[in-house]
Amino acid sequence: MKLLLLVLMLIACAGCGSGDDNNHGYGFEFDVQGASGLRLRYSGAVAPGGTVATMISDPVFYERIFAEVEACMAMTAPAPFVIIVKHGELDGGVAGHHFSDPQLIVVDVTYILTNRSSVLRHEIIHYLLDINTGDPDPNHSSAVFAECS
């Protein structure tokens, strides 16, 4: 009887929870986790091994950028999940995107490889605003976009 009750409870709760169960179509797998807890996936953006993979696979780079933006904005949050995708994979040809619920930052690999960390910084600003105020400011009205990107 207890087993039947447990099975029924599990079935009832199967749909429980909030947010997107597939992480906005990207899933939850990551390649490496940094000391701060930042999770990073880059494997879909480049072939394994080689110089390019080495350049984008170090979580310390992303953690440094995150810490700099946190300091600039005087806001803190848990380290984000960052996914680096192949060039052109993001809808609308954008360079990066921040998703809410669950929180996710996605950046086109081209903008990491060309040392244009402003795209990553921009998406981190959305993330920090969302975590700290509940408003990721999709219209970019906050001065922090100019000050901290």
Side-chain angles (χ1 to χ4, degrees), residues 36-38 61-80 105 120-129 131-132 144 147-149:
S36 70
L38 182 140
F61 166 77
Y62 303 89
E63 290 174 317
R64 179 180 55 80
I65 299 295
F66 181 64
E68 289 172 3
V69 176
E70 279 184 313
C72 180
M73 294 177 64
M75 291 182 175
T76 61
I105 294 173
L120 178 60
R121 291 173 189 278
H122 178 97
E123 300 310 330
I124 290 171
I125 291 168
H126 284 297
Y127 170 77
L128 287 169
L129 287 171
I131 294 291
N132 286 272
V144 296
E147 296 166 2
C148 300
S149 281

Side-chain angles (χ1 to χ4, degrees), residues 6-122:
L6 177 63
V7 169
L8 291 174
M9 286 175 55
L10 288 173
I11 291 171
C13 288
C16 295
S18 65
D20 181 346
D21 291 336
N22 193 23
N23 203 16
H24 313 284
Y26 290 95
F28 293 94
E29 300 80 24
F30 56 93
D31 296 312
V32 64
Q33 185 166 358
S36 70
L38 182 140
R39 292 167 294 141
L40 174 65
R41 183 189 320 151
Y42 56 87
S43 58
V46 295
T51 306
V52 173
T54 301
M55 289 173 64
I56 67 166
S57 64
D58 185 4
V60 173
F61 166 77
Y62 303 89
E63 290 174 317
R64 179 180 55 80
I65 299 295
F66 181 64
E68 289 172 3
V69 176
E70 279 184 313
C72 180
M73 294 177 64
M75 291 182 175
T76 61
F81 183 12
V82 178
I83 297 179
I84 308 303
V85 297
K86 290 179 185 174
H87 179 63
E89 187 173 302
L90 286 167
D91 288 340
V94 297
H97 191 77
H98 162 259
F99 294 95
S100 297
D101 194 24
Q103 296 288 333
L104 177 64
I105 294 173
V106 182
V107 178
D108 186 311
V109 68
T110 302
Y111 297 92
I112 301 299
L113 294 175
T114 56
N115 201 21
R116 290 186 271 183
S117 64
S118 62
V119 172
L120 178 60
R121 291 173 189 278
H122 178 97

